[in-house]
Amino acid sequence: MLRFCLVAALLAQSAYGFPTDQHYRVTSEPAQLGLDSADRWDSEAASDFVTYQRPINWELNYWRQNRIYDLTVGSISGRQFLKYQRLKIYHDLSDRLQFRLHWLVERDFEQDRSATPVELKFKLTNQWAISAFGETSFYKEENDVGGSLFYYPTPDQELRVSGLWGDFQRNQRTVRNDSWLHAPAAFTLSYLFTPIAATQTFHRAELHWEHPSVRAVAGKPTARLSYHSMYFVGVRSLDGGRSLGWRLFYDDSEAIDITNDLVRRRKRSLNQVEYQMRMGPHVLRPGINFFYREGREDNNQEIVREILPTLWMEFLPRIRSWGTALPSFGYDTTFFQQQTSLRTNENTWEHRLNGKYEMLFKNSATLSLLFTFDLDRFGTSETWEGGAAQFSLMF
């Protein structure tokens, strides 16, 4: 298993919206896989997605807190925003029973998903727990139901395995004449390490696999869907105010239109590494991103390779009556290489300047405004590239 995980991480296929929690994911519609995104991807898109991603340290906040909300909205074209939104509320009903609510929204060129699972978790012992969760819909045929087993070897470590069955009542309660010959089912295994001590170190690993599902209309198979993914995220605190953060994500999606004999498949991942160090009163964050993205439609193939070095410098914090202001500037460059089965190649370099103004409020909230400028077209009407806003609240 370790060899398999390492090989998959080093393949560096490209992904852009990092998932939050795949325990609540199951694919029941081809549109959820986002396999039509290839026409919208160009040499500037990757820089948008890297710049607008949630800061890695927000991941630690999300997994450590019982009540937290964060939102990212960023311009990715003249007509579209990406939107990442998540809400998490855990509330103890008794010493053993806990209510859990998640609201997960992930919308960009490569995904368009929204889920609001509700969960009840029951503590069996100090080391073992179980849960039942699900999501209901106006149409009962779209209801999902799942369950989890938790194991806590120490108070700051969690192992979780889940099963989720999508549209589990479609064959009995559909309002149309469609059904499942093989219903969608997803299985997820995760490991989480969040130290109780006051440190920025944490690790999370997640493996997600969905059994191939087959949709039918009037008893005849029409579509086959499959999906699996791996995700590794973490931060390692070092001495002297230094730290190393990483996000590695790989997934493989396939949708077969049986009626029209059309096969569409995509492999993608993002390998992102970021180092933080202090230079006198300032904070310097160099990073590197390696992308590889492969899409196939029948005999047609498109491969995109991208390398994005990034460099951010955080200047002196400024104390305000409402909290602390943190201005910073960043630079990134993108090497974009595109190859197709028609033997057409494109090699492009892109350069961008980024600005960020982060406001850390006293009441456990953060608001960041990001601005991006195209250095290749600087001084023209296309200098302004776009912007984004990020908000996080712990309550």
Side-chain angles (χ1 to χ4, degrees):
M1 175 61 73
L2 178 59
R3 182 180 178 183
F4 174 69
C5 294
L6 289 174
V7 169
L10 293 173
L11 283 176
Q13 330 278 341
S14 107
Y16 302 100
F18 291 103
T20 295
D21 196 337
Q22 301 281 58
H23 285 280
Y24 307 109
R25 172 180 180 142
V26 65
T27 303
S28 57
E29 299 290 344
Q32 295 173 340
L33 297 175
L35 298 182
D36 61 346
S37 62
D39 294 338
R40 296 174 243 174
W41 201 259
D42 57 26
S43 57
E44 297 182 1
S47 183
D48 287 336
F49 280 81
V50 169
T51 303
Y52 301 159
Q53 287 298 325
R54 303 180 184 100
I56 293 180
N57 62 350
W58 281 23
E59 303 297 332
L60 172 61
N61 294 335
Y62 183 83
W63 292 108
R64 178 172 280 176
Q65 301 297 323
N66 282 343
R67 292 178 175 85
I68 188 169
Y69 169 79
D70 65 50
L71 168 69
T72 295
V73 177
S75 175
I76 52 177
S77 77
R79 299 181 179 181
Q80 292 159 309
F81 282 111
L82 66 74
K83 183 177 181 181
Y84 305 139
Q85 184 170 229
R86 57 187 180 182
L87 170 69
K88 170 184 165 184
I89 298 175
Y90 291 178
H91 184 75
D92 292 331
L93 303 177
S94 70
D95 293 340
R96 290 179 175 268
L97 189 63
Q98 185 182 67
F99 170 80
R100 295 181 161 202
L101 171 68
H102 293 88
W103 180 28
L104 308 171
V105 177
E106 297 168 345
R107 305 191 69 182
D108 56 39
F109 283 155
E110 300 210 312
Q111 57 189 343
D112 190 351
R113 304 182 63 89
S114 177
T116 314
V118 175
E119 184 173 15
L120 284 176
K121 179 182 176 186
F122 183 75
K123 180 180 177 182
L124 299 172
T125 68
N126 288 335
Q127 291 187 305
W128 294 94
I130 57 174
S131 76
F133 58 89
E135 183 172 10
T136 59
S137 171
F138 175 74
Y139 296 103
K140 294 183 178 180
E141 64 188 39
E142 298 175 350
N143 291 343
D144 302 335
V145 64
S148 295
L149 175 66
F150 300 81
Y151 174 61
Y152 299 90
T154 64
D156 51 12
Q157 296 184 79
E158 175 192 274
L159 282 168
R160 179 181 182 182
V161 59
S162 297
L164 176 59
W165 291 265
D167 294 1
F168 75 100
Q169 292 183 304
R170 179 174 294 275
N171 290 4
Q172 296 79 30
R173 301 183 183 274
T174 182
V175 297
R176 297 167 289 183
N177 61 346
D178 63 334
S179 61
W180 289 110
L181 296 181
H182 299 287
F187 302 93
T188 307
L189 172 67
S190 66
Y191 168 76
L192 175 65
F193 173 65
T194 51
I196 299 175
T199 174
Q200 293 298 307
T201 294
F202 90 103
H203 314 291
R204 188 172 188 271
E206 183 180 76
L207 305 178
H208 178 82
W209 179 78
E210 298 190 14
H211 186 275
S213 59
V214 178
R215 179 76 70 89
V217 175
K220 296 182 179 180
T222 59
R224 182 181 185 271
L225 306 174
S226 65
Y227 177 80
H228 64 265
S229 68
M230 292 183 292
Y231 184 37
F232 307 89
V233 58
V235 175
R236 177 68 176 177
S237 292
L238 307 171
D239 57 2
R242 299 175 299 126
S243 66
L244 180 68
W246 63 89
R247 285 190 281 215
L248 310 174
F249 177 63
Y250 164 87
D251 75 351
D252 190 342
S253 310
E254 184 179 66
I256 301 177
D257 184 342
I258 299 174
T259 303
N260 298 307
D261 193 24
L262 176 64
V263 179
R264 305 176 79 180
R265 187 176 184 184
R266 180 184 64 199
K267 296 180 181 180
R268 57 178 195 155
S269 80
L270 165 65
N271 291 348
Q272 182 182 65
V273 179
E274 183 179 87
Y275 180 73
Q276 178 173 296
M277 59 182 292
R278 290 196 171 274
M279 286 185 55
H282 308 299
V283 175
L284 192 67
R285 289 194 300 272
I288 188 71
N289 303 268
F290 298 99
F291 295 179
Y292 173 93
R293 185 176 188 278
E294 179 181 336
R296 294 177 180 267
E297 184 171 324
D298 283 345
N299 295 324
N300 298 319
Q301 181 186 38
E302 180 181 80
I303 295 176
V304 174
R305 298 179 179 91
E306 294 163 291
I307 302 176
L308 285 86
T310 62
L311 179 64
W312 281 86
M313 174 171 281
E314 186 177 288
F315 293 93
L316 283 173
R318 301 177 181 180
I319 306 302
R320 299 288 187 260
S321 59
W322 42 263
T324 304
L326 291 174
S328 58
F329 288 93
Y331 164 79
D332 67 68
T333 182
T334 304
F335 173 69
F336 177 89
Q337 182 185 71
Q338 183 182 44
Q339 295 177 301
T340 70
S341 55
L342 300 177
R343 300 184 183 277
T344 58
N345 298 321
E346 177 186 352
N347 296 316
T348 306
W349 282 98
E350 299 282 349
H351 303 270
R352 181 176 292 187
L353 177 66
N354 304 306
K356 182 177 181 180
Y357 191 77
E358 186 174 11
M359 292 163 275
L360 307 176
F361 296 96
K362 294 179 180 178
N363 296 324
S364 302
T366 301
L367 174 63
S368 299
L369 303 176
L370 293 99
F371 311 93
T372 64
F373 304 91
D374 192 331
L375 294 180
D376 299 299
R377 301 168 181 85
F378 198 80
T380 72
S381 59
E382 298 181 5
T383 299
W384 169 250
E385 188 67 27
Q390 297 178 324
F391 178 74
S392 176
L393 173 67
M394 292 175 280
F395 57 97

